[in-house]
Amino acid sequence: MSVIDGSAPAAGTLAGDTPHGIGTSVPSTDALAKTQGTYPYAADLWAEGLLWAAVLRSPHPHARILRIDTADAAAMPGVRAVVTHEDVPGDAMHGRRVADRPVFAHDIVRHHGEPIAAVAADHPDTARLAAAAILVEYEVLEPVTDPEKAFAAEPLHPDGNLIRHIPLRFGDPEAVGEVIVEGLYRVGRQDPAPIGAEAGLAVPRPDGGVELYVASTDPHADRDIAAACFGLEADHVKVVVTGVPGAMGDREDSGVQLPLGLLALKTGCPVKFVATREESFLGHAHRHPTLLRYRHHADAEGRLVKVEAQILLDAGAYADASSDALAAAVAFAAGPYVVPHVFVEGWAVRTNNPPSGHVRGEGALQVCTAYEGQMDKLAAKLGLEPAEIRMRNVLSTGDLLPTGQTVTCPAPVGELLKAVRDADLPPLPDGDDESQWLLPGGTSGAGEPGAVRRGVGYALGMVHVLGAEGTDEVSTATVRVHDGRATVICAAVETGQGFTTLARQIVQEVLGVEDVRVLAPDTDQPPAGPSARGRHTWVSGGAVERAAKMVRTQVLQPLAAKFGMSVELLSIADGKITSYDGVLSTTVAETLDGKELWATAQCRPHPTDRLDDTGQGDAFVGLAFCAIRAVVDVDIELGAVRVVELAVAQDVGRILNPRQLAARIEAGVTQGLGLALMEDLRAPRGVVKRPSLTGYALPTALDAPDVRIVKLVEERDVVAPFGAKAVSAVPVVTSPAAIASAVRAATGRPVSRLPIRPQAAIVKPQA
């Protein structure tokens, strides 16, 4: 549980005691419906004359398709259509960043679970049976599953096996420190494991177009991809965003809407698809498995001199977000530390492993695991406390990143580290019977209390806010006021990050209108971009604020003119308009008097640069930082680990909604705990093993530790709307490294692999 109390007295209230405006814990409007299970998701949708879809997927990670025979499937009673690559009227290849992925595999299968065909039938069981009846003749090929072997392997794709190589050169390559430590680190394949599997509904339109009802996180990009594959103009495809049952990037996969749309267009009927949990694991993108080799140089006092690193990302079969992930990994390879000399080689390569893509904190998480492991090694070699060696090297505003970019945003890294270092430690178990359940493994564990060792570890993490390397980050919003109600129109998708609540808070704050409605996003609205990296807090929230301020001016101008004063001398607070001298006092409702006012605005942050041939460039709009102290108990005989507490200090810019912020931090550190201790989607020889929520271990409430938010630094970023920063990704990035550091402290073992296997935490008795 968090120490942040979201029920603290609100800074502002309107009618009654309902909190409103920026800085208060305004509740989410859909919280009750989601809690009661009545909130509509894509899997709940229905339409008259509905057909059901099923997708045939490859059982092989690498194979040549010799023949596809759909005759038996098409002849089955109740089957209305079967589609393969031959039925794609437009672009056969698609991709969010690189169009390198086929709608349906037709010559080569490149990963286990790749779609080959789809069926529409009048019953879901009929659709699944028909898909299974499709005959595919394969020539099974040897899969390439070791990313290190991908460089010399035969090309798996016409574009080759190398997706991107970034060499970073910063400082003097001949620099050498007095103390040198080396390490090899591995980070496994984490699945986003959304609570709701992928689903969607496609409805054909009379004009020959199609409407797609899906849990998209970037509806306009999905529309454009679908239109290109369907051979239609963009205005003939409409994407309507349904409820999003969890999204850490997996919703960016187009593997749901493309088969659905093709089947709806071919049959002329609405078609629905609900993925099984196995299909979900096979279809969407995962966190990049990563191999990292590091060498750190420091002087005798523990100050960093040089960092050398090699970073290899396993992209799986297709490029997806691998270029973005690699840029973050290379740029942040030295962490939030001042390092005068940094030399990094980074690669992202194709393999026949499951696809990798955007998962919260991509790139930054993997390198955080490695550079923090190196800091622990340096501390041990120099005889310093782990927190002390970090404190001697922390980054601050005005310092240079290894990319040559100056840190212009607030970077209170030292303040964050000091806060977690100085926080009180949790008490040790007192040994009574009631405390036995607190031991690693719980009361049913086979370990002995005498074998339990406590460890304390630290980690500092950083992420970039918004997109990077020249991404055009822009969002558009409209605010309309009529009859005492404000309406916000913005295509920013609510994925649980709290955008719809934030939009309401902004309008309440600026216009003093309590009743604020945020329309559901679709592609009839102007684009707002993807829901990732805190974008919508910044660009979409900024667009809403600008539009609301434009409406505010429309509200106040007539009053200002009437009383002979400037608009700047009037203020709106708690639904009332007052002048600076108190002479004028009226309500917003009286001033509007039934009028309808509206305004549309955009928010576009300053442009960024692509990293050049030496890894240099101003690639990032903003940065966010986090410090975490982990306390763990480890059974050194069994290797069982229990995380007792995670103390968090975070750079948040400005607290917009205390309760939501605390929830996002808690969720982030818990997701990171999953990767640290249990989450690893295994795919020996490219075949995913046990793709289910029973076979893939996820942290439950029993695994979640106490999350103590010891400090939130509110140093506003002057270029960000409201001065706020994204808060979700950086605790995900930081918590696995902190837990690994604590296990090292408890066991004295190196702990160089995530998730931490039991054998890595076992301490063998000395002979």
Side-chain angles (χ1 to χ4, degrees), residues 53-261:
V55 177
L56 174 67
R57 299 177 181 272
S58 169
H60 308 292
H62 195 202
R64 182 173 289 108
I65 298 176
L66 303 178
R67 184 169 67 97
I68 302 175
D69 186 349
T70 63
D72 289 346
M76 291 179 64
V79 172
R80 300 286 295 276
V82 180
V83 292
T84 67
H85 69 280
E86 295 178 345
D87 300 287
V88 179
D91 293 347
M93 308 293 284
H94 69 94
R96 187 61 59 89
R97 295 156 183 86
V98 179
D100 66 342
R101 181 193 300 252
V103 178
F104 295 112
H106 58 91
D107 53 358
I108 296 290
V109 167
R110 297 185 176 90
H111 72 88
H112 179 210
E114 184 162 14
I116 295 175
V119 176
D122 55 13
H123 191 277
D125 290 344
T126 305
R128 285 191 286 269
L129 288 171
I134 297 172
L135 176 63
V136 183
E137 186 178 340
Y138 300 97
E139 177 190 345
V140 178
L141 304 175
E142 184 68 20
V144 177
T145 58
D146 183 345
E148 291 190 281
K149 295 181 179 178
F151 294 98
E154 289 294 317
L156 302 174
H157 192 279
D159 295 343
N161 293 348
L162 179 63
I163 294 171
R164 189 177 185 186
H165 170 223
I166 304 178
L168 186 147
R169 308 283 182 263
F170 181 73
D172 181 5
E174 302 300 323
V176 177
E178 298 173 66
V179 179
I180 300 175
V181 296
E182 297 184 354
L184 174 65
Y185 302 88
R186 296 180 185 272
V187 177
R189 182 180 294 105
Q190 186 179 31
D191 191 273
I195 192 170
E198 291 77 4
L201 174 69
V203 180
R205 301 197 319 199
D207 63 0
V210 65
E211 294 185 357
L212 301 170
Y213 295 80
V214 291
S216 171
T217 56
D218 190 354
H220 289 83
D222 285 341
R223 177 203 62 186
D224 294 344
I225 290 172
C229 293
F230 299 160
L232 299 173
E233 296 297 324
D235 61 1
H236 278 60
V237 177
K238 180 179 179 179
V239 174
V240 180
V241 179
T242 64
V244 180
M248 277 69 71
D250 57 293
R251 302 294 173 183
E252 294 187 3
D253 174 30
S254 299
V256 172
Q257 50 261 45
L258 297 182
L260 269 178

Side-chain angles (χ1 to χ4, degrees), residues 465-479:
V465 182
L466 309 183
E469 292 195 283
T471 303
D472 184 19
E473 294 287 8
V474 61
S475 183
T476 305
T478 297
V479 174

Side-chain angles (χ1 to χ4, degrees), residues 31 42 114 120 135 174 223 351 384 412 416 432 446 461 609-610 646 672 762:
E114 184 162 14
L135 176 63
E174 302 300 323
R223 177 203 62 186
T351 66
L384 295 173
L416 301 176
D432 60 20
D609 303 323
R610 186 173 173 84
L646 293 171
I762 293 175

